[in-house]
Structure formats: C-alpha cells, structure tokens
C-alpha cells in the first residue's frame, strides 16, 4: 500500500476531485505522525469471558492497573445555532464503544485480498426476537382514524408541542392523563379500575403513604406494585400516584430532570425505565472497528493481542469487523495500529446505520452530518474507496477531525464540505444513498455523558426534532430515486426520544410521500420502532425501524430507519409550497393508502405526465445563491492543498496534546475505560429490505403497495449475501458515476480543500 500519496480527502475543483478519486494509493502514512502522546493512558477493562486466541498468539488477560475504568469515549454535546433556526444541536461523537460490521465487510475484505476466515468468530446466532412494544398489529382501525385527525391538525411543530407534555389538545380523543401516558405501550399495564382513584392531576410532591422510606427500596416496591397493580395496590391509591412517586424517586436516584424521567417512563414503562436508567449509569463496552481498507480483523486482533489487549468479537456475530476490547495493557487509542489507521474506536450502535445504508462500491453517497467521520469512514470502507463519498457537516471546525480521521484511515474517495445540511439539495443532489446521522439530544448516550441528565430538556428535544425534520427532508431530496443501485437513505440518532425518531420519520412520510420505510437489513437485531406511544399513532411501517437500548443490547441508545425513495417527484407541490388547505387534503390522500399509496401509477423513475412536482435532475450542483452561503470555510485557492495539510496537522496536534484522547472524536477527547462486559443481545442480521424494495421496483405500483403492506412486521427475506450479489450485479459502471460538478466547471462551494 501507499506507493504514492494522494490526498485522502478530496476537494477543490470537481475535476480535481474526479482525478483524485481515481487515484489509487494508500496515502495515509502521515496519519501515523499524529496523535501520539495524548493517548498514553491505558484502558483497564473487565476480564474477558471469551477471549480471542489465534493459535500462535497468547491472549493477554488484562489486569486491573488500579485505575477505575473510564467510559470508552466521550460524548460530545454541542450546540449550534443554524442561521435561521433556533435549533440547538447536540452533536454526538460516536466513535466509542461497540462495533459492528456486516456481510458487506466480509465481501469487501475478500475483494481486497483480505479474508477473515475464523468462522468461529463470525458464526451468527439466531437470536430470539425482541418483543414488539408496539407493532403493526397494535394499530387498530380507530387508531388510524386518530392519525388522520392528527394529520389534519398538525403543523410542523404541533406534534412536538403535544408530545409527552400532558397537554394534548386533541378533541374527540381522551386526553392522555398522566396515568394513561405512563401505561401506553406496555401490554397488561392498562388497568381501568384505578380511574376512580385518580384524583391527582395537579403536581406536587405528595409521597404515597406506606411505602419504603429508602429511595432504592421504594423504587423497587413501586415497580413491583405497578407490575401487578390490581393485586398489589394499596386501597385508595391511584396508579398515577404510584407512577408520580416513581418518577420523583427515579429522578432523584439517578439524577435526571424529572421531565426526562417522565418521558422515559412514558416510553418504557416503570420496570424497563428503571433498567434503562440503571444501564445509563454503567459504561458500555469499548469496541473497535477494523478498517478493512488497510487490514483484516483477524490480523488486527493478533496485532492487538500481542500488545496486551484482550478482546473478542461481538456477541451474536452480527459484525465481522468489530472487536470488543475487554482489557488492555496499552492505550487502545494510541497503538501503532491505531495510528496507522487499522482501526477506529466506534460504538456498535454507530455502526448499525451504516450497515443499514449498505453503501456499495462506485456509488455516490452523501453523509449530511458527518463530523467527525466515524460513519463516513465506515461508508468509505464498504465502498472500497471507490465512487464518491461526500462527507458534509455544518461545522467547519468539526470537519477538521473528519479530515484527520479520513486521512488516518486511508479514505480516498471522500469530499469533505461544510454546508447547512438543510440547504444541500440546492447545492447537490442525485446521490445513490444518503445518511443522516442527525444532530440530536444525545438521550441514548447518557452513559457517555452524564450531563445530559440535567442539561437536556423536553424543549431541547422539541427543537432537535424540528431541525431533524428539516434535515431529513433535505436528505430525501438529495437522493436520486432513479439510482440503479440505491435510491435509499438512512436516518439515525443517538437518542431514544420518540420525538426525535418515530415522530420525525412519521413526519417525513407525510412531507415526502415519495419515500417509504423499508427494513433496515439488520434483521431482528434491535427492537422495532414504536407505532404507538402516549397519544401518538404512527404509520405501521415504523415497526420496520430499529431501536437499540443500553439495557437491552448493552449498546448506546440508537434509532435507525431506512427509507426508500420511490420517485424523484412529489405527487403534488412541495409541502412547503402548499397552502394549509392543500396540505390537509394531500395528507389525507396519502394516509388513505398508507405511505404513498395514493400515488396512483407513478413509476419509480418519474411521474405521470401532467403531475405536479419537480423532477430532480441527476447529480448536479447548483450555483450558490446569494445569501445561501455554506457556513464552512471554502478553501478553493491553489494553495488549498497545503492549507489542508496544515489544518490536518493542527488537528493532529490538538489531539496529541490531549492525553489519552480518542481521536475519533472531535477536539480533545477523553479515552474512557470500561469494565462492563455484559454481552449484547445481538441478533443475526439477515435482512435485506433493500432487496425487497428492489424487487418491488420492477413491478407495478399496485404490487409495491401490496408488498409494502406485507413487509410491515415481517422478517427479512433476503440474505445479505444475496443482497450483495444483486446490488453488485446492478452496480453502475464507473464511467457513469456522477461527479459533483459546478456549472461550467466551477468548483463546488463549501468544499473543503485538501
Ligand atoms: C451525531 S453527530 C454526527 C456524527 C457522525 N455521523 C459520525 O458518525 O462521526 C451530528 C452532527 O451534525 C452536525 N450538524 C448539526 N446541524 C447541522 C446542519 N444543520 N447541517 C449539517 N450538519 C449539522 C453537527 O455538527 C454534528 O457533527
């Protein structure tokens, strides 16, 4: 590798981007010059239960070095004001804990001449299916009606305003009182007999009499009572009183803002909420992702074992590139292998969106919010450094870390730029795939950042939800539905809040009825998304989305949704352009047939003549309008290459100075130790929802509708291997790859130079 060195992050003029993309070198050795002294700390971790032993290598079981384990990674919570938005962003830095991989990785490795043939590592377990908290079946006719009602009334922020607030204004529907809220989604929890006793609508710390005085004991006691309320309740005490008591106690015990506890209770129910909060007080395992652009997992494992790292593959075998670090004699973020870009610290949860996206070689892939590049680099890995990866992020300063990481990992097919993601469709579109790993509240990564417990509010969650909707709209608009290989996008967050997840997806199904939810391809790994929670009733296809929880999967809380774009045109004017009247009509129309079912006989590649809606041109970059300047610095001068090199060095320098950092993260990072070795409840990913969709593309719209209905709640139908084959067969030839080209060869604005 690395006969000659090319910039791993492309920029400048489109033609130079194009040229650079075609270069074929390893060019990342310089990454090893960076990030050294900072990572001198060790990562004492819990003892291995299933260490890797590769025959010749003796596993070194880690010994505690007298230091307390640190969380694997820092969770960065950052806020940004995005020009016209008050949306507070909370950026997750998610190269940390567990890892994942995919069949794509294996295939990729083979193509590169790397194989990971230790099948015992990779054997997938058929996991039991996690129970659906809410599923298609749960959505009844009357709920559909409720949905329609909601649609009629909603504005962009209406749902948000009502959500979890206890301020539902829905008429004709029973107002969700606290008692009801806390029970939604938990089968068997809904008792009617307590209605009479529920007089406690007004808030106030009125302790339920007769309960244990100790906090912990009282929590246990109340959970126990609520688990069989009818039998265990004290006479005259309403369920709501117990729930309120529990909320207060949990908030105090775990140190959360009460409103957050209320949200979790609503979503998870009493018993599970307790587990969730307890899990948030434990660190997640440290996981690394082998960078198959440079090595194979087996070789990496051997090298790390030699250095005194105790590791093992992830439980369930769902990743072929991830290694869980059990213990280490050396700082995992500062080994020569790390510095050489042979791996990245990345949480398992963080890998799932990329697995779902399944970017293919030679495709054009967009990561709308890429910094610091954890998922983008995984995309490049799956793309085998071919095609084009546009790694965008609002914040130029965060993109320095992206550039550094992409360099270190030997990524050569990336363009790094810095636009407000919401404006990207006016800059470039026509991508085969897009990833929106959205800025979020970080309510899934509390274990990494305990400050979230008191700093995040429901108001923040609402703000994030608003920004997320706008970004998701943009993501949809950037994707080319006519892509021969893709036409898909993935939406993910590191939040467990319904408002940032299902509500956002439910919104996009209305705002962009030319998309539909498809299986993630992660099989039964993860829990299905909610289709109902509190007063909300979501489209049944939300059950195809996946949720990951710390207390269930021993992973960061994460949400993953895969969407297929069916047509480039909307069956009507863009929502933004519509008047309120038309809005309601269209929504009703869409809803009547489920997601997009009212789209008549549109074909996937376009719309029927006479139908309104903009047909998107294939990949193009529009000339930037005045006033829509990207926020990022645009280095377009001939000196830009040198500048970026310097910038990169500066980034490295910063990282180097911050001792023990995890350089996957932006800015000074704290490498955290972990002794938590609980196994994940990983399930075998065997789905290929995309295949199902692809198959659907060939058939009539009506057939698609039928199939769409059939897919909901149904397991995956096609193996990843089959998906790979089918996707690769249809892979577009290199010549036809679109390269972002500005008008008359002008450079793309916002592109960071290298
Ligand atoms: C969860 S982090 C992304 C992590 C990244 N995908 C990774 O795997 O390394 C969210 C990112 O969204 C970025 N962001 C926030 N608002 C944005 C906007 N309007 N447009 C584009 N990116 C935005 C933040 O700067 C932050 O880096």
């Amino acid at each position: 590798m690395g006969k000659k060195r090319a910039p791993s992050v492309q920029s400048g003029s489109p033609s130079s981007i194009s040229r650079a993309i075609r270069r074929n070198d390893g060019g990342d050795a310089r990454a090893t010059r960076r990030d050294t002294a900072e990572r001198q700390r060790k990562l004492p971790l819990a003892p291995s239960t299933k260490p890797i032993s590769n025959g010749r290598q003796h596993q070194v079981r880690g010994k505690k070095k007298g230091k307390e384990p640190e969380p694997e990674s820092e969770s960065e919570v950052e806020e940004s004001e995005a020009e016209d938005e008050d949306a507070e962003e909370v950026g997750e830095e998610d190269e940390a804990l567990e890892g994942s991989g995919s069949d794509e990785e294996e295939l990729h490795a083979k193509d590169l001449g790397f194989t990971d043939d230790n099948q015992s590592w990779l054997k997938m377990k058929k996991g039991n299916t996690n129970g659906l908290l809410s599923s298609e079946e749960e959505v009844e006719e009357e709920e559909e009606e409720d949905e329609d009602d909601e649609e009629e009334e909603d504005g962009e922020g209406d749902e948000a305003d009502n959500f979890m607030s206890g301020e539902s204004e829905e008429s004709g529907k029973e107002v969700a009182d606290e008692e009801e809220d806390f029970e939604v989604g938990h089968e068997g929890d809904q008792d009617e007999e307590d209605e009479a006793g529920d007089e406690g609508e007004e808030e106030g710390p009125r302790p339920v009499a007769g309960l244990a005085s100790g906090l912990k004991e009282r929590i246990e006691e109340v959970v126990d009572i609520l688990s069989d309320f009818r039998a265990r309740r004290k006479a005259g005490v309403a369920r709501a009183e117990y729930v309120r008591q529990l909320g207060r106690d949990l908030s105090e015990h775990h140190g959360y803002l009460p409103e957050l506890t209320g949200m979790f209770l609503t979503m998870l129910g009493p018993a599970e909420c307790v587990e969730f909060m307890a899990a948030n007080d434990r660190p997640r395992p440290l996981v690394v992702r082998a960078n198959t652009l440079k090595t194979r997992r087996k070789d990496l494992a051997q090298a790390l074992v030699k250095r005194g790292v105790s590791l093992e593959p992830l439980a369930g075998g769902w990743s072929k590139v991830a290694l869980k670090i059990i213990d280490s004699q050396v700082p995992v973020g500062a080994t020569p292998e790390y510095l050489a870009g042979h791996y990245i610290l990345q949480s398992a949860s963080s890998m799932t969106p990329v697995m779902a996206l399944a970017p293919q070689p030679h495709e054009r892939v967009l990561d709308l919010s890429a910094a610091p590049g954890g998922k983008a680099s995984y995309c490049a890995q799956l793309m085998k450094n071919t095609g084009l990866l546009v790694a965008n992020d609002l914040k130029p300063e965060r993109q320095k870390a992206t550039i550094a990481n992409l360099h270190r990992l030997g990524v050569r097919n990336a363009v790094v730029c810095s636009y407000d993601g919401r404006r990207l469709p006016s800059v470039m579109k026509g991508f085969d795939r897009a990833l929106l790993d959205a800025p979020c509240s970080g309510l899934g990564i509390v274990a990494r950042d305990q400050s979230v417990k008191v700093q995040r509010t429901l108001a923040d969650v609402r703000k994030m939800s608003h920004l997320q909707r706008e970004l998701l709209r943009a993501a949809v608009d950037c994707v080319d539905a006519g892509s021969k290989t893709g036409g898909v996008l993935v939406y993910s967050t590191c939040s467990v809040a319904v408002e940032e997840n299902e509500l956002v997806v439910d919104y996009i199904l209305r705002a962009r009825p030319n998309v539909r939810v498809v299986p993630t391809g992660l099989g039964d790994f993860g829990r299905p998304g909610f289709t109902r929670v509190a007063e909300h009733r979501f489209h049944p296809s939300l059950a195809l989305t996946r949720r990951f929880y710390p207390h269930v999967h021993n992973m960061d809380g994460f949400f993953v949704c895969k969407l297929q774009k069916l047509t480039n045109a909307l069956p009507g004017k863009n929502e933004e352009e519509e008047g309120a009247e038309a809005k309601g009509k269209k929504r009703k129309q869409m809803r009547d047939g489920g997601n997009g079912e009212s789209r008549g006989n549109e074909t996937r590649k376009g719309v029927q003549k006479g139908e309104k809606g903009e047909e998107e041109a294939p990949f193009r970059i529009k000339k930037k309008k005045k006033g829509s300047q990207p926020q990022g610095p645009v280095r377009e001068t001939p000196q830009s290459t040198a500048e970026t090199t310097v910038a990169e060095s500066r980034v490295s320098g910063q990282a180097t100075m911050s001792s023990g950092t995890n350089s996957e993260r932006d800015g000074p990072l704290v490498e955290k130790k972990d002794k938590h070795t609980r196994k994940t409840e990983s399930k075998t990913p065997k789905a290929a929802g995309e295949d199902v969709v692809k198959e659907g593309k060939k058939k009539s719209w009506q057939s698609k509708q039928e199939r769409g209905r059939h897919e909901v709640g149904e397991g995956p139908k096609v193996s990843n291997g089959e998906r790979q084959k089918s996707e690769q067969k249809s892979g577009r030839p290199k010549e036809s790859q679109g390269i972002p080209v500005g008008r008359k060869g002008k450079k793309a604005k916002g592109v960071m130079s290298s």
Side-chain angles (χ1 to χ4, degrees), residues 5-263:
R5 197 178 72 185
S8 54
V9 180
Q10 313 300 330
S11 69
S13 72
S15 55
S16 71
I17 292 167
S18 173
R19 278 197 306 277
I21 285 167
R22 292 185 182 106
R23 284 181 200 144
N24 195 23
D25 62 30
D28 55 316
R30 61 185 161 177
T32 60
R33 296 197 296 267
R34 302 188 299 267
D35 307 344
T36 49
E38 59 171 326
R39 300 189 187 88
Q40 296 307 311
R41 287 191 295 166
K42 297 183 177 181
L43 287 170
L45 296 157
S48 169
T49 51
K50 196 175 77 176
I52 281 175
S53 173
N54 290 322
R56 299 188 304 273
Q57 305 298 334
H58 287 290
Q59 178 213 357
V60 180
R61 281 188 181 269
K63 292 171 187 170
K64 292 276 186 313
K65 290 290 174 183
K67 286 182 186 174
E68 275 303 300
E70 292 175 325
E72 315 77 344
S73 72
E74 168 193 35
S75 75
E76 176 183 326
V77 178
E78 68 163 33
E79 298 183 357
S80 80
E81 293 297 322
E83 283 195 27
D84 53 341
E85 281 307 315
D86 58 351
E88 185 182 358
E89 75 183 67
V90 183
E92 169 225 0
E93 304 311 324
D94 44 4
E95 292 58 58
L97 317 183
E98 303 184 53
S100 80
S102 63
D103 290 342
E104 293 89 334
E105 290 287 348
E106 184 69 353
L107 209 70
H108 180 185
K110 278 177 184 154
D111 288 356
L112 288 172
F114 297 135
T115 58
D116 190 343
D117 54 5
N118 186 338
Q119 292 303 313
S120 64
W121 296 7
L122 308 178
K123 198 174 177 183
M124 292 182 178
K125 285 179 189 168
K126 302 268 183 205
N128 53 331
T129 308
N130 287 311
L132 286 175
L133 279 184
S134 46
S135 66
E136 188 182 14
E137 300 86 74
E138 292 174 74
V139 180
E140 296 163 5
E141 286 295 318
E142 64 195 56
E143 292 159 1
E144 290 292 337
E145 284 164 21
D146 287 344
E147 251 179 287
D148 287 342
D149 294 340
E150 279 179 25
E151 288 160 26
E152 305 280 3
E153 72 179 31
D154 78 354
E156 213 168 72
D158 292 346
E159 295 142 337
D161 291 337
N162 290 334
F163 183 63
M164 307 288 188
S165 65
E167 295 168 2
S168 173
E169 291 166 7
E170 277 186 318
S171 61
K173 189 161 80 171
E174 249 183 62
V175 173
D177 62 11
E178 281 182 58
E179 178 174 309
E180 187 176 306
D181 277 354
F182 285 126
E183 292 175 350
V184 168
H186 300 277
E187 289 172 23
D189 275 351
Q190 291 183 354
D191 298 315
E192 288 127 23
E193 81 280 9
D194 53 346
E195 281 172 13
D198 182 12
E199 74 268 0
E201 281 302 311
E202 70 280 1
E203 298 296 338
R206 289 190 299 159
V208 176
L211 293 174
S213 54
L215 207 52
K216 224 177 158 189
E217 294 72 32
R218 196 161 62 229
I219 288 170
E220 281 168 15
E221 189 181 350
V222 172
V223 168
D224 188 54
I225 291 169
L226 290 173
S227 70
D228 190 1
F229 186 68
R230 200 183 296 257
R232 297 175 190 166
R233 66 184 295 190
K234 288 188 171 63
V237 182
R239 184 183 188 89
E241 288 183 62
Y242 284 110
V243 173
R244 276 194 290 271
Q245 180 70 56
L246 182 62
R248 285 196 296 272
D249 289 346
L250 282 172
S251 299
E252 190 181 341
H253 185 59
H254 294 282
Y256 286 84
L257 288 184
E259 63 190 58
L260 291 182
T261 307
M263 184 177 76

Side-chain angles (χ1 to χ4, degrees), residues 72 88 109 203 216 254 290 300 322 450 532 610 637 690 704:
E72 315 77 344
E88 185 182 358
E203 298 296 338
K216 224 177 158 189
H254 294 282
L300 172 64
Q450 297 284 321
R532 57 183 298 186
T637 61
E690 208 165 301
K704 273 190 238 172

Side-chain angles (χ1 to χ4, degrees), residues 76 78 80 82 89-95 346 350 367-376 392-395 398 402 419-422 424 435-440 464 467 471 492-494 664 666:
E76 176 183 326
E78 68 163 33
S80 80
E89 75 183 67
V90 183
E92 169 225 0
E93 304 311 324
D94 44 4
E95 292 58 58
Q346 186 167 47
S350 292
D367 185 345
L368 284 94
S369 50
K375 294 179 191 69
N392 177 73
D393 197 278
L394 175 70
K395 296 191 165 181
R398 286 173 61 79
T402 307
Y419 289 95
D420 185 330
R422 294 170 291 185
L424 277 174
L435 172 65
L436 175 58
D437 182 39
C440 69
M464 293 314 308
L467 174 62
L471 284 166
S492 63
T493 71
C494 61
E664 309 319 326
D666 188 20

Side-chain angles (χ1 to χ4, degrees), residues 458-622:
L458 292 189
D460 294 332
V461 170
R462 277 182 212 119
K463 281 182 189 171
M464 293 314 308
S465 183
H466 185 80
L467 174 62
Q468 288 155 351
R469 291 173 207 200
E470 292 187 309
L471 284 166
L472 187 51
R473 262 194 342 238
V476 168
D477 294 347
C478 283
V479 169
D480 177 17
S483 162
K484 286 178 185 158
T485 57
V488 294
L489 61 149
V490 165
Y491 173 74
S492 63
T493 71
C494 61
S495 172
V496 294
V498 171
E499 197 160 0
E500 296 181 78
N501 298 320
E502 285 88 348
L503 213 56
V504 174
V505 175
D506 201 58
Y507 161 80
I508 202 68
L509 296 181
R510 303 173 200 191
R512 291 291 182 270
N514 52 341
V515 298
R516 68 171 174 175
V517 182
V518 294
T520 57
L522 300 168
D524 57 3
F525 187 34
R527 278 189 180 173
F530 289 100
T531 54
R532 57 183 298 186
V533 65
E535 74 271 27
H536 293 281
R537 302 294 178 269
F538 303 122
H539 191 273
S541 62
L542 264 296
L544 294 173
T545 64
R546 283 292 172 268
R547 282 180 157 262
F548 297 92
Y549 293 105
H551 64 290
V552 178
H553 307 99
N554 197 15
M555 289 160 62
D556 288 340
F558 237 82
F559 176 81
V560 181
C561 170
K562 186 169 187 175
L563 296 160
Q564 173 83 47
K565 189 168 176 182
L566 299 160
T567 66
N568 280 332
L570 286 171
K573 290 177 183 174
N574 286 343
E575 177 135 335
E576 303 92 305
E577 297 161 8
E578 288 179 337
E581 193 184 315
K583 233 187 216 178
K585 252 188 187 176
K586 191 181 75 183
R587 284 176 176 163
K588 181 91 176 97
Q589 190 187 18
M590 293 308 160
R591 220 33 159 187
D592 287 343
N595 174 24
E597 287 186 359
S598 65
R599 273 167 280 176
N601 44 4
E602 288 172 21
T603 61
R604 189 169 178 279
K605 290 196 171 182
V607 287
Q608 295 296 308
K609 272 188 182 173
E611 190 163 13
K612 291 173 186 175
E614 183 196 7
E615 178 69 22
E616 296 168 0
F619 204 90
R620 66 171 188 259
I621 296 182
K622 284 185 184 172

